[in-house]
Amino acid sequence: MEEIWRSPKSSRFVSERVRKTPPSEIRKFFDLLSSTEGVISLGIGEPDFVTPWHITEAGVYAVEKGYTMYTSNYGLAELREELAHYLWNQHRAGYDPKSEILITVGVSEAFDLAIRATINPGDEVIIPEPSFVSYPPCVILAGGIPVFVPTRVEKEFKLEAKEVEKRITERTKAIVLSYPNNPTGAVMNRTELLEIAELAQRYNLIVLSDEIYSRLVYGVEHICFPTLPGMKERTILLGGFSKTYAMTGWRIGFAAAPAELIEAMVTIHQYTIMCAPIMSQKAAVEALRNGERAVNEMLEEYDRRRRIIVKGLNEIGLTCFEPKGAFYAFPSVKALGFSSGEFAERLLLEEKVAVIPGPAFGPSGEGHVRCCYAVSIPEIEEALERMERFVRKYR
Ligand SMILES: Cc1ncc(COP(=O)(O)O)c(C=O)c1O
């Protein structure tokens, strides 16, 4: 895991763009984590479930049947067709499987393609923060300029249209949306998203909507951004299998957008990746066809854990607003007087609980830490006990 964060910045052979890409704040943490024994990790943002067996079996069966070759650059037709049905059934988002859907190596690749296919050097990209760590580096590596919009706990970390508008200039090209949000668990309702849609229309901006957590919502409706009036034509929808179906290691995701944008993304994808692995695509077909029961079971379990962790954190004095999506709680640690980084480091060293400092996801994360509750209930309970001891010691 920690290798991801190593970059040889000091070498004279390293490009200017890579040098300009800030190091991840999470890196230090994974280094510490890997050298500490007996840790309960609320750090890593991935499901603790293994992929449901029938999905794995479809992947294994595909290999056994000799599906070991390239696919079309766009991805298997049967997967794109299943996705088109799925997007329609789940969200009433209508996409032509022949020309408006691209299968990618996770949302990670889909986001990178979306940025590189749309951003010219010097273009500004509006990014709410705190948010997923990959957005700013991808923008910088494409020669674009990330423009951050802070979100605040008082507003449940929702993106406020008036804050976005203040940052729009003649160089603004795109807005990134990321709801349900990593690391805050924030979701946006229809009215709030309509305000962003109105700005996109008025200033003629493209929207990159990362909806990887669309299925992980608790008691609220997920609004699929391109289904808002006038938005399909200016939105690249990014979605995946990693979180919904516990398939992080299969590396499979997708982008859905108007044909000319998908074509632009394929122009890069065909030369860099060629296609997502065929066995993962076959497994994804099975996930879409028969995965609903497993999704609902995992969702119920996440919800149980969510309630336990949010209640527990509030009871020990780490104030936590109720996250309505994804699998993260984002409590405030201000009561202890430590910075987020200091809190996380001490908690790891003294009580062996790993959480991620909020500023790893953007400066507005200061005063908070991200606790991923995609771990078992006994582990959450043990982590809460350790955190309570820690809080009592320093309060
Ligand atoms: C908001 C968000 N987008 C994208 C990703 C990457 O997903 P994938 O595994 O599909 O590349 C993550 C992973 O943590 C994420 O939290």
Side-chain angles (χ1 to χ4, degrees), residues 243-279:
K243 317 290 172 165
T244 312
Y245 299 100
M247 288 179 73
T248 46
W250 296 81
R251 309 310 303 127
I252 186 96
F254 67 89
E260 63 276 15
L261 291 173
I262 290 294
E263 215 178 289
M265 290 168 72
V266 172
T267 304
I268 304 169
H269 173 81
Q270 69 185 339
Y271 294 124
T272 52
I273 302 291
M274 224 126 88
C275 64
I278 189 168
M279 47 296 275

Short mmCIF file of all heavy atoms in Angstrom, two decimals, residues 243-279:
data_model
loop_
_atom_site.label_atom_id
_atom_site.label_comp_id
_atom_site.label_asym_id
_atom_site.label_seq_id
_atom_site.Cartn_x
_atom_site.Cartn_y
_atom_site.Cartn_z
N LYS A 243 -16.71 -0.19 -4.53
CA LYS A 243 -17.34 -0.01 -3.21
C LYS A 243 -18.67 -0.78 -3.16
O LYS A 243 -18.95 -1.49 -2.20
CB LYS A 243 -17.58 1.47 -2.92
CG LYS A 243 -16.43 2.39 -3.29
CD LYS A 243 -15.22 2.24 -2.40
CE LYS A 243 -14.06 3.07 -2.97
NZ LYS A 243 -12.96 3.29 -2.07
N THR A 244 -19.49 -0.63 -4.20
CA THR A 244 -20.82 -1.24 -4.19
C THR A 244 -20.76 -2.75 -4.06
O THR A 244 -21.53 -3.35 -3.31
CB THR A 244 -21.55 -0.91 -5.51
OG1 THR A 244 -21.43 0.48 -5.75
CG2 THR A 244 -23.02 -1.29 -5.44
N TYR A 245 -19.85 -3.38 -4.81
CA TYR A 245 -19.80 -4.85 -4.84
C TYR A 245 -18.56 -5.41 -4.15
O TYR A 245 -18.24 -6.58 -4.35
CB TYR A 245 -19.84 -5.33 -6.30
CG TYR A 245 -21.10 -4.93 -7.03
CD1 TYR A 245 -21.10 -3.84 -7.89
CD2 TYR A 245 -22.30 -5.62 -6.84
CE1 TYR A 245 -22.25 -3.44 -8.56
CE2 TYR A 245 -23.45 -5.24 -7.50
CZ TYR A 245 -23.42 -4.15 -8.36
OH TYR A 245 -24.56 -3.76 -9.03
N ALA A 246 -17.87 -4.56 -3.38
CA ALA A 246 -16.63 -5.01 -2.71
C ALA A 246 -15.67 -5.61 -3.74
O ALA A 246 -15.23 -6.75 -3.63
CB ALA A 246 -16.95 -6.01 -1.59
N MET A 247 -15.35 -4.83 -4.77
CA MET A 247 -14.53 -5.34 -5.87
C MET A 247 -13.30 -4.47 -6.12
O MET A 247 -12.87 -4.31 -7.27
CB MET A 247 -15.38 -5.42 -7.16
CG MET A 247 -16.41 -6.53 -7.13
SD MET A 247 -17.40 -6.58 -8.64
CE MET A 247 -16.26 -7.24 -9.85
N THR A 248 -12.71 -3.91 -5.07
CA THR A 248 -11.59 -2.96 -5.28
C THR A 248 -10.46 -3.57 -6.12
O THR A 248 -9.90 -2.91 -6.98
CB THR A 248 -11.03 -2.46 -3.93
OG1 THR A 248 -10.86 -3.58 -3.07
CG2 THR A 248 -11.95 -1.46 -3.27
N GLY A 249 -10.14 -4.84 -5.82
CA GLY A 249 -8.98 -5.44 -6.50
C GLY A 249 -9.23 -5.84 -7.94
O GLY A 249 -8.29 -6.13 -8.68
N TRP A 250 -10.49 -5.84 -8.37
CA TRP A 250 -10.79 -6.24 -9.75
C TRP A 250 -10.48 -5.09 -10.72
O TRP A 250 -10.36 -5.30 -11.92
CB TRP A 250 -12.26 -6.63 -9.90
CG TRP A 250 -12.65 -7.83 -9.11
CD1 TRP A 250 -12.96 -7.87 -7.77
CD2 TRP A 250 -12.76 -9.18 -9.58
NE1 TRP A 250 -13.26 -9.16 -7.41
CE2 TRP A 250 -13.16 -9.99 -8.50
CE3 TRP A 250 -12.58 -9.78 -10.84
CZ2 TRP A 250 -13.36 -11.36 -8.62
CZ3 TRP A 250 -12.79 -11.14 -10.95
CH2 TRP A 250 -13.17 -11.92 -9.86
N ARG A 251 -10.39 -3.89 -10.20
CA ARG A 251 -10.07 -2.68 -10.97
C ARG A 251 -11.03 -2.49 -12.15
O ARG A 251 -10.65 -2.62 -13.33
CB ARG A 251 -8.59 -2.68 -11.45
CG ARG A 251 -7.57 -2.95 -10.37
CD ARG A 251 -7.75 -2.06 -9.12
NE ARG A 251 -7.72 -0.63 -9.41
CZ ARG A 251 -8.70 0.21 -9.01
NH1 ARG A 251 -9.75 -0.22 -8.34
NH2 ARG A 251 -8.60 1.47 -9.28
N ILE A 252 -12.25 -2.17 -11.80
CA ILE A 252 -13.25 -2.02 -12.86
C ILE A 252 -14.20 -0.88 -12.51
O ILE A 252 -14.64 -0.75 -11.37
CB ILE A 252 -13.98 -3.39 -13.10
CG1 ILE A 252 -14.93 -3.34 -14.28
CG2 ILE A 252 -14.68 -3.92 -11.89
CD1 ILE A 252 -14.32 -3.85 -15.54
N GLY A 253 -14.45 -0.04 -13.49
CA GLY A 253 -15.34 1.11 -13.31
C GLY A 253 -15.87 1.54 -14.66
O GLY A 253 -15.67 0.85 -15.67
N PHE A 254 -16.51 2.70 -14.70
CA PHE A 254 -17.04 3.14 -16.00
C PHE A 254 -17.23 4.66 -16.03
O PHE A 254 -17.26 5.31 -14.98
CB PHE A 254 -18.38 2.45 -16.30
CG PHE A 254 -19.50 2.85 -15.37
CD1 PHE A 254 -20.32 3.93 -15.66
CD2 PHE A 254 -19.74 2.15 -14.20
CE1 PHE A 254 -21.36 4.30 -14.81
CE2 PHE A 254 -20.77 2.51 -13.34
CZ PHE A 254 -21.57 3.59 -13.64
N ALA A 255 -17.36 5.17 -17.24
CA ALA A 255 -17.76 6.56 -17.45
C ALA A 255 -18.96 6.53 -18.39
O ALA A 255 -19.04 5.67 -19.28
CB ALA A 255 -16.63 7.35 -18.08
N ALA A 256 -19.92 7.41 -18.13
CA ALA A 256 -21.07 7.55 -19.04
C ALA A 256 -21.21 9.03 -19.36
O ALA A 256 -21.16 9.87 -18.44
CB ALA A 256 -22.33 7.00 -18.37
N ALA A 257 -21.36 9.33 -20.64
CA ALA A 257 -21.38 10.73 -21.07
C ALA A 257 -21.85 10.79 -22.52
O ALA A 257 -21.92 9.75 -23.20
CB ALA A 257 -19.98 11.33 -20.94
N PRO A 258 -22.13 12.00 -23.03
CA PRO A 258 -22.46 12.12 -24.45
C PRO A 258 -21.34 11.51 -25.33
O PRO A 258 -20.17 11.54 -24.95
CB PRO A 258 -22.55 13.64 -24.66
CG PRO A 258 -22.91 14.17 -23.31
CD PRO A 258 -22.21 13.28 -22.33
N ALA A 259 -21.74 10.98 -26.48
CA ALA A 259 -20.82 10.19 -27.32
C ALA A 259 -19.51 10.92 -27.62
O ALA A 259 -18.44 10.31 -27.59
CB ALA A 259 -21.53 9.82 -28.62
N GLU A 260 -19.58 12.24 -27.87
CA GLU A 260 -18.33 12.90 -28.26
C GLU A 260 -17.33 12.96 -27.10
O GLU A 260 -16.11 12.92 -27.31
CB GLU A 260 -18.59 14.30 -28.87
CG GLU A 260 -19.22 15.33 -27.97
CD GLU A 260 -20.76 15.23 -27.91
OE1 GLU A 260 -21.32 14.19 -28.34
OE2 GLU A 260 -21.39 16.18 -27.40
N LEU A 261 -17.84 13.01 -25.88
CA LEU A 261 -16.93 13.03 -24.73
C LEU A 261 -16.36 11.63 -24.48
O LEU A 261 -15.17 11.48 -24.17
CB LEU A 261 -17.67 13.53 -23.48
CG LEU A 261 -18.03 15.02 -23.51
CD1 LEU A 261 -18.91 15.40 -22.32
CD2 LEU A 261 -16.76 15.87 -23.52
N ILE A 262 -17.21 10.61 -24.63
CA ILE A 262 -16.71 9.24 -24.46
C ILE A 262 -15.65 8.95 -25.53
O ILE A 262 -14.60 8.39 -25.25
CB ILE A 262 -17.88 8.22 -24.55
CG1 ILE A 262 -18.77 8.33 -23.30
CG2 ILE A 262 -17.37 6.79 -24.75
CD1 ILE A 262 -18.12 7.93 -21.98
N GLU A 263 -15.91 9.43 -26.73
CA GLU A 263 -14.94 9.22 -27.81
C GLU A 263 -13.61 9.89 -27.47
O GLU A 263 -12.54 9.32 -27.69
CB GLU A 263 -15.51 9.84 -29.08
CG GLU A 263 -15.17 9.09 -30.34
CD GLU A 263 -15.84 9.76 -31.52
OE1 GLU A 263 -17.08 9.67 -31.62
OE2 GLU A 263 -15.11 10.41 -32.30
N ALA A 264 -13.69 11.08 -26.90
CA ALA A 264 -12.47 11.79 -26.51
C ALA A 264 -11.71 10.99 -25.44
O ALA A 264 -10.48 10.89 -25.47
CB ALA A 264 -12.82 13.19 -25.99
N MET A 265 -12.45 10.42 -24.52
CA MET A 265 -11.80 9.63 -23.46
C MET A 265 -11.19 8.35 -24.03
O MET A 265 -10.10 7.95 -23.64
CB MET A 265 -12.81 9.32 -22.35
CG MET A 265 -13.20 10.56 -21.56
SD MET A 265 -14.63 10.31 -20.47
CE MET A 265 -13.93 9.29 -19.20
N VAL A 266 -11.91 7.75 -24.99
CA VAL A 266 -11.39 6.51 -25.61
C VAL A 266 -10.10 6.80 -26.37
O VAL A 266 -9.20 5.96 -26.44
CB VAL A 266 -12.45 5.86 -26.55
CG1 VAL A 266 -11.84 4.71 -27.34
CG2 VAL A 266 -13.63 5.36 -25.74
N THR A 267 -9.98 8.00 -26.90
CA THR A 267 -8.76 8.37 -27.62
C THR A 267 -7.55 8.18 -26.72
O THR A 267 -6.49 7.71 -27.15
CB THR A 267 -8.84 9.84 -28.10
OG1 THR A 267 -10.02 9.96 -28.89
CG2 THR A 267 -7.64 10.26 -28.89
N ILE A 268 -7.68 8.53 -25.45
CA ILE A 268 -6.55 8.34 -24.51
C ILE A 268 -6.48 6.89 -24.06
O ILE A 268 -5.44 6.26 -24.09
CB ILE A 268 -6.73 9.27 -23.28
CG1 ILE A 268 -6.87 10.73 -23.72
CG2 ILE A 268 -5.55 9.11 -22.32
CD1 ILE A 268 -7.30 11.66 -22.61
N HIS A 269 -7.64 6.38 -23.64
CA HIS A 269 -7.73 5.02 -23.09
C HIS A 269 -7.16 3.97 -24.05
O HIS A 269 -6.45 3.06 -23.64
CB HIS A 269 -9.22 4.77 -22.79
CG HIS A 269 -9.62 3.42 -22.36
ND1 HIS A 269 -9.47 2.97 -21.06
CD2 HIS A 269 -10.20 2.40 -23.05
CE1 HIS A 269 -9.94 1.73 -20.97
NE2 HIS A 269 -10.39 1.36 -22.15
N GLN A 270 -7.41 4.12 -25.36
CA GLN A 270 -6.98 3.10 -26.31
C GLN A 270 -5.46 3.02 -26.41
O GLN A 270 -4.90 1.97 -26.71
CB GLN A 270 -7.57 3.37 -27.70
CG GLN A 270 -6.99 4.60 -28.36
CD GLN A 270 -7.68 4.96 -29.68
OE1 GLN A 270 -8.30 4.13 -30.30
NE2 GLN A 270 -7.54 6.20 -30.09
N TYR A 271 -4.79 4.16 -26.14
CA TYR A 271 -3.32 4.15 -26.23
C TYR A 271 -2.64 3.87 -24.90
O TYR A 271 -1.47 3.52 -24.87
CB TYR A 271 -2.82 5.51 -26.76
CG TYR A 271 -3.24 5.77 -28.19
CD1 TYR A 271 -3.95 6.92 -28.53
CD2 TYR A 271 -2.91 4.87 -29.19
CE1 TYR A 271 -4.35 7.15 -29.83
CE2 TYR A 271 -3.31 5.10 -30.50
CZ TYR A 271 -4.02 6.24 -30.82
OH TYR A 271 -4.41 6.46 -32.11
N THR A 272 -3.36 4.07 -23.81
CA THR A 272 -2.70 3.92 -22.51
C THR A 272 -3.07 2.62 -21.80
O THR A 272 -2.23 1.99 -21.18
CB THR A 272 -3.05 5.11 -21.59
OG1 THR A 272 -4.47 5.24 -21.57
CG2 THR A 272 -2.42 6.39 -22.07
N ILE A 273 -4.33 2.26 -21.89
CA ILE A 273 -4.82 1.10 -21.14
C ILE A 273 -5.31 0.00 -22.09
O ILE A 273 -5.22 -1.16 -21.79
CB ILE A 273 -6.01 1.51 -20.22
CG1 ILE A 273 -5.59 2.62 -19.25
CG2 ILE A 273 -6.58 0.30 -19.47
CD1 ILE A 273 -4.61 2.21 -18.19
N MET A 274 -5.86 0.44 -23.21
CA MET A 274 -6.44 -0.45 -24.22
C MET A 274 -7.83 -0.94 -23.80
O MET A 274 -8.80 -0.67 -24.46
CB MET A 274 -5.53 -1.63 -24.50
CG MET A 274 -5.43 -1.88 -25.96
SD MET A 274 -3.77 -1.92 -26.55
CE MET A 274 -3.39 -3.61 -26.32
N CYS A 275 -7.89 -1.67 -22.70
CA CYS A 275 -9.20 -2.11 -22.22
C CYS A 275 -9.04 -2.58 -20.77
O CYS A 275 -7.94 -2.92 -20.35
CB CYS A 275 -9.76 -3.25 -23.08
SG CYS A 275 -8.76 -4.76 -23.00
N ALA A 276 -10.16 -2.59 -20.05
CA ALA A 276 -10.14 -3.15 -18.70
C ALA A 276 -10.02 -4.67 -18.82
O ALA A 276 -10.42 -5.24 -19.84
CB ALA A 276 -11.42 -2.76 -17.97
N PRO A 277 -9.47 -5.34 -17.79
CA PRO A 277 -9.28 -6.80 -17.87
C PRO A 277 -10.60 -7.52 -18.17
O PRO A 277 -11.62 -7.24 -17.52
CB PRO A 277 -8.77 -7.18 -16.49
CG PRO A 277 -8.25 -5.92 -15.90
CD PRO A 277 -9.02 -4.80 -16.51
N ILE A 278 -10.55 -8.45 -19.12
CA ILE A 278 -11.78 -9.13 -19.56
C ILE A 278 -12.43 -9.92 -18.42
O ILE A 278 -13.65 -9.95 -18.29
CB ILE A 278 -11.50 -10.01 -20.80
CG1 ILE A 278 -12.81 -10.54 -21.38
CG2 ILE A 278 -10.54 -11.15 -20.49
CD1 ILE A 278 -12.67 -11.19 -22.75
N MET A 279 -11.62 -10.56 -17.57
CA MET A 279 -12.23 -11.38 -16.50
C MET A 279 -12.95 -10.50 -15.49
O MET A 279 -13.99 -10.89 -14.95
CB MET A 279 -11.21 -12.32 -15.83
CG MET A 279 -9.88 -11.74 -15.44
SD MET A 279 -8.89 -11.15 -16.82
CE MET A 279 -8.04 -12.59 -17.39
#
